[in-house]
Amino acid sequence: MISGPQASHLAGHANPIFLEGKLLPLAVPAARELGLKDGEVVQATVQARGGDDMALLLRGRLLELPKPSPWPEGHTLSMRVIAAPSGPWNLQLLPVNSVSTALTILPSLPAAASLISNVANLLFRPVGQPDLAKLFQPGNLEALLQTVPRPDLQAQWRGMQLSMAQLTPQALSQFVAAGMGAEVWLARGMTPPADDPKQLLRRLMTAITRGESDEDGSKIGGVQRAVDDLEASQVQAVQAQNQREMQMRMVLPFHDAEPVELVFRRAPRHGGKSPPLTVNVHSRSQSLGEIWLKTQLHGGERVELNMWAVEADVVRQAKSRSAELGQQLVDAGLSMQSFQIVHGRRPAEPTEWRPSGRGMVVDVSA
């Protein structure tokens, strides 16, 4: 297990882990610095350290293996992160066929195995985009972009940022279209929007790795995790569609406000009845505090609203202006069925979306 002086992060230092059945213990500080999350599926590669010594390479860090190594050099292990309430975390080894039982694989490329492994990792990541939201906080991405001589990327980022003071349905619609990813539009035979956030971040990573940045490369990990957030949401959206559900998640960047998390959800149809479309919005700001808004649209015209706010003054303002909001919905052709306002944090969802075994097909022939 990694603990004490063995948790040192000096370059070239290998942190030891010991096999205990099928669990690899990992100290909590090391797990956090690796950016691991409970339930996440990660891949590590067995790498030679000289002689017969082997180590696991996980997110740029070497984890020492017992001697002799149970696996040859180059072998890739899939492991699930298990967070313990006390004591070390664990990396649970997954069976070799765990991915093949979850996915119908149509191999036609030499790199099919690594592609499927990456897709499975993204599919089973915890839902949410915390690293992307952190990167999209005002000033963070700007600071990174200023370290590379790429005015095109800086201009693209400025064009992508929304204005909270002048937010319009058209601007919101354009960002949602771009946030769906270029893959969606190319699959439809259409030209993708230019302001795809994932493509921007990938170009920035390329510039940093080529040495165009003044940074030493240490900041690239945060950008990569943000890209992982984006790709995980895209893979999960495709899987939800295969399960006859809708799940689309994105983070809206603003130049004059904190980023806003936006989620579209629709449950599968049951008994011929169409379930409501749910839109969840989560925002934070110094002036209004933390706010959650849940909107359910029934039949394309009836709206149910639920709002949670931490600040009491925001709750009072919302209640005093609820009639005005209702009239605005009427002007838009909608009717407000209910509007519940709660002073406090939104409670956790009773169930969090998880991929089922239905429709898990990855065709790598394209």
Side-chain angles (χ1 to χ4, degrees):
M1 128 186 3
I2 302 176
S3 60
Q6 297 297 339
S8 169
H9 308 313
L10 296 176
H13 180 82
N15 295 308
I17 58 177
F18 302 99
L19 291 174
E20 296 178 1
K22 292 187 176 182
L23 294 179
L24 305 178
L26 190 63
V28 175
R32 289 174 177 168
E33 292 200 14
L34 283 168
L36 300 179
K37 301 174 183 176
D38 186 29
E40 179 181 9
V41 176
V42 297
Q43 279 75 43
T45 304
V46 179
Q47 178 173 303
R49 296 184 56 213
D52 296 330
D53 293 347
M54 296 288 182
L56 277 181
L57 181 62
L58 175 61
R59 295 184 175 176
R61 180 175 301 171
L62 292 177
L63 307 178
E64 190 172 320
L65 287 172
K67 302 177 184 179
S69 168
W71 306 283
E73 181 181 4
H75 185 75
T76 299
L77 302 177
S78 293
M79 300 172 289
R80 188 182 304 279
V81 179
I82 301 176
S86 61
W89 286 25
N90 290 288
L91 300 176
Q92 182 183 33
L93 296 178
L94 299 179
V96 175
N97 63 347
S98 62
V99 174
S100 61
T101 57
L103 302 172
T104 302
I105 304 174
L106 307 176
S108 60
L109 296 175
S114 61
L115 173 61
I116 297 302
S117 178
N118 185 47
V119 170
N121 183 17
L122 295 171
L123 182 61
F124 289 96
R125 278 171 63 100
V127 295
Q129 299 179 319
D131 292 293
L132 182 64
K134 181 179 179 180
L135 187 63
F136 277 3
Q137 287 179 352
N140 287 355
L141 188 53
E142 288 89 340
L144 271 178
L145 288 169
Q146 289 173 4
T147 66
V148 296
R150 293 291 301 273
D152 58 323
L153 298 184
Q154 297 172 17
Q156 182 179 354
W157 173 237
R158 287 193 298 269
M160 286 173 52
Q161 290 179 291
L162 302 169
S163 170
M164 184 66 73
Q166 299 177 340
L167 186 61
T168 64
Q170 293 76 16
L172 182 60
S173 177
Q174 289 176 6
F175 184 89
V176 170
M180 292 173 64
E183 300 87 345
V184 173
W185 301 103
L186 291 173
R188 297 176 180 177
M190 301 171 66
T191 302
D195 293 334
D196 182 349
K198 186 173 71 172
Q199 301 307 320
L200 169 67
L201 297 183
R202 286 200 175 280
R203 294 188 188 106
L204 173 59
M205 290 172 59
T206 300
I208 294 176
T209 54
R210 287 178 178 174
E212 300 176 24
S213 171
D214 296 333
E215 296 286 342
D216 58 5
S218 61
K219 299 295 181 68
I220 199 171
V223 181
Q224 178 61 65
R225 289 192 295 272
V227 171
D228 290 343
D229 280 350
L230 281 166
E231 293 192 331
S233 294
Q234 290 177 328
V235 172
Q236 291 164 2
V238 172
Q239 177 55 29
Q241 185 177 22
N242 290 339
Q243 297 172 192
R244 300 180 181 178
E245 303 176 55
M246 178 182 181
Q247 162 112 346
M248 190 167 64
R249 182 183 301 268
M250 56 189 60
V251 177
L252 309 180
F254 293 85
H255 66 79
D256 55 354
E258 293 287 316
V260 173
E261 300 172 42
L262 187 64
V263 182
F264 298 90
R265 296 193 64 178
R266 191 195 297 272
R269 182 187 296 267
H270 289 292
K273 184 177 180 181
S274 179
L277 171 66
T278 300
V279 181
N280 290 318
V281 179
H282 182 202
S283 65
R284 303 176 182 86
S285 70
Q286 292 184 351
S287 58
L288 300 178
E290 202 164 5
I291 298 175
W292 296 261
L293 183 63
K294 178 180 179 181
T295 304
Q296 287 191 304
L297 180 62
H298 300 263
E301 59 182 22
R302 293 180 292 109
V303 177
E304 292 183 7
L305 296 173
N306 293 83
M307 175 180 171
W308 294 262
V310 174
E311 300 296 331
D313 187 55
V314 174
V315 172
R316 287 191 293 269
Q317 291 184 47
K319 290 181 178 179
S320 66
R321 303 184 65 177
S322 59
E324 179 183 345
L325 175 60
Q327 184 58 50
Q328 291 178 349
L329 292 174
V330 170
D331 295 341
L334 303 172
S335 63
M336 186 168 65
Q337 298 296 103
S338 63
F339 187 16
Q340 298 184 10
I341 304 171
V342 179
H343 180 202
R345 302 178 63 86
R346 177 176 176 171
E349 294 256 319
T351 58
E352 190 177 69
W353 182 87
R354 284 287 184 270
S356 71
R358 180 177 183 175
M360 284 192 176
V361 178
V362 176
D363 186 350
V364 297
S365 62

